[in-house]
Amino acid sequence: MDMNEFIEKIKEVLEIEDREVNESDLFRDYDEWDSLAYLSVIAFLDEEYEIQMEEAEFNTLKTIEDLYNVTKK
Amino acid sequence: MSFITYNGVGITALSAAVPKRVINNYEYTEFFPADEVREVVDKIGVFERRFADAETCSSDLCYAAAEKLIIDNDIDRSEIDLLVFISQTPDYRMPATSIILQHRLGLPNSTIAFDINLGCSAFIYGMSVVYAMMENSGLRKALILDGETRSRVYSAKDRRTAFIFGDAGVAALVERDNKFGESTFSLNSDGSRENLIKINAGGYRNPSTPETLKEKVVDEYGNIRSDEHGYMNGGDVFTFVNREVPRDIKNTLEYSKRDKDSFDYIIFHQANNFINSHVAKKLKLDTSKIPSTIEKFGNTSSVSVPLTIVSELKDKMAGEKSLLMSAFGVGMTWATAVVPFVDLQISDIVEV
């Protein structure tokens, strides 16, 4: 999955429909971001990439690009 | 990795009791705005649950379930040689609630009685303990009583836990009979995760003080609880469960030489629909074989596995049935079991 596809997936997961999402965005600043959105993202990482990430590690991720890079490890 | 197997022991009858008081989760809006509540409730899939009143304990729910079980199945009380009470919401710190129930149910003084304190996976742990004792000659009948009043444990002002938990109690009769084939159990623990789900104060490590009873804002979302309320790190519980539970189920199936599609029913601990549907999908299970009660009783901790059988499988357990059971939670502990049933008698749910 390239960055563009990843961004499309993340928009679905976070239910962002009305605007662009960029790789440099700080996703915690989104209006859509809350504890439920967090659960959706970790479920997405597990389902799509078999990544089981704990909160302490997740908290080190800041941007959409950080999230994308995790999936490439 | 270890597995335990038993032969010729099984649960022959099951009953359950729930409080009369129904909580409609969409209307549980005293502390949070209705649109936010709706979003949480839809995500976790808990639409209703039952709350015990202030006078009703886990043991009262179990007592009602046990009386129903004894009467419906015409059980001779003098033949009950073992009573195990499973709960993390006992009547007192001491004595053990099982002992109080021995007397209250009119069981003889020769009854072996003790409590198991473990949490969500405890019914499966308890089955294994009781099956082990019952497999040997000597004991005639055993009762497993499993009850929880989790509504008392969590803060209504902490959205991470306020909408999930409910109260219930069950009673199970365990007997030795050659009609039962092999049962296999996998029981696991990881104390390095003790902080994922916890009540920090009120025990002997951090005794109860006026300070531990004070409600405080605990995170950036404005959730409020005291140190004597339970808390849950839902994200890390989710991650933990998704790592350990599918693996344990696969290993247990492999050990018992069973295919995931060979069961009549698969009973999961009713944690919340978000976790449960994710695990089922991950294991590619046939969801038509997975009964659910999360939508009407919520997460009743250790009670949820047997409660789901009583609620959803009445009239469906005639003849030989093979069930896969899986439960996980506080500890962390997790358990998987492959269990045969033969003509399981299921009573109607009692409302208390």
Side-chain angles (χ1 to χ4, degrees), chain B residues 11 27 46 57 130 148 159 241 257 285 289 302 304 327 337:
Chain B
I11 294 175
E27 292 165 11
V46 179
C57 284
V130 170
E148 292 285 358
R159 55 168 82 57
V241 166
K257 300 185 178 63
L285 300 175
K289 290 182 175 180
S302 56
S304 77

Side-chain angles (χ1 to χ4, degrees), chain B residues 244-300:
Chain B
E244 298 298 343
V245 170
R247 183 155 66 196
D248 192 46
I249 290 174
K250 280 180 189 160
N251 290 340
T252 307
L253 292 178
E254 196 176 314
Y255 178 82
S256 54
K257 300 185 178 63
R258 290 288 297 270
D259 184 85
K260 65 182 169 60
D261 297 319
S262 69
F263 294 91
D264 294 291
Y265 298 103
I266 301 170
I267 315 291
F268 278 104
H269 164 51
Q270 307 288 294
N272 61 65
N273 190 47
F274 185 69
I275 285 190
N276 284 47
S277 58
H278 192 88
V279 170
K281 200 163 151 191
K282 196 165 165 153
L283 284 163
K284 300 187 175 63
L285 300 175
D286 176 356
T287 51
S288 71
K289 290 182 175 180
I290 310 178
S292 166
T293 52
I294 189 71
E295 60 285 342
K296 59 182 167 191
F297 295 128
N299 178 336
T300 54

Side-chain angles (χ1 to χ4, degrees), chain A residues 13 32-40 42-44 46-47 50-56, chain B residues 36 39-40 43-44 159-160 193 221 233-236 238-240 242-243 274 278 281-282:
Chain A
V13 171
E32 291 82 0
W33 187 258
D34 58 16
S35 57
L36 292 179
Y38 165 64
L39 286 178
S40 298
I42 59 171
F44 163 69
D46 181 49
E47 197 173 321
E50 283 287 316
I51 293 170
Q52 290 111 31
M53 191 184 296
E54 293 184 8
E55 198 171 0
Chain B
E36 196 183 314
E39 203 189 335
V40 173
K43 186 100 172 178
I44 60 177
R159 55 168 82 57
R160 284 167 176 251
R193 318 273 169 179
Y221 302 110
N233 180 336
D236 281 356
F238 177 84
T239 297
F240 182 81
N242 274 310
R243 188 169 49 226
F274 185 69
H278 192 88
K281 200 163 151 191
K282 196 165 165 153

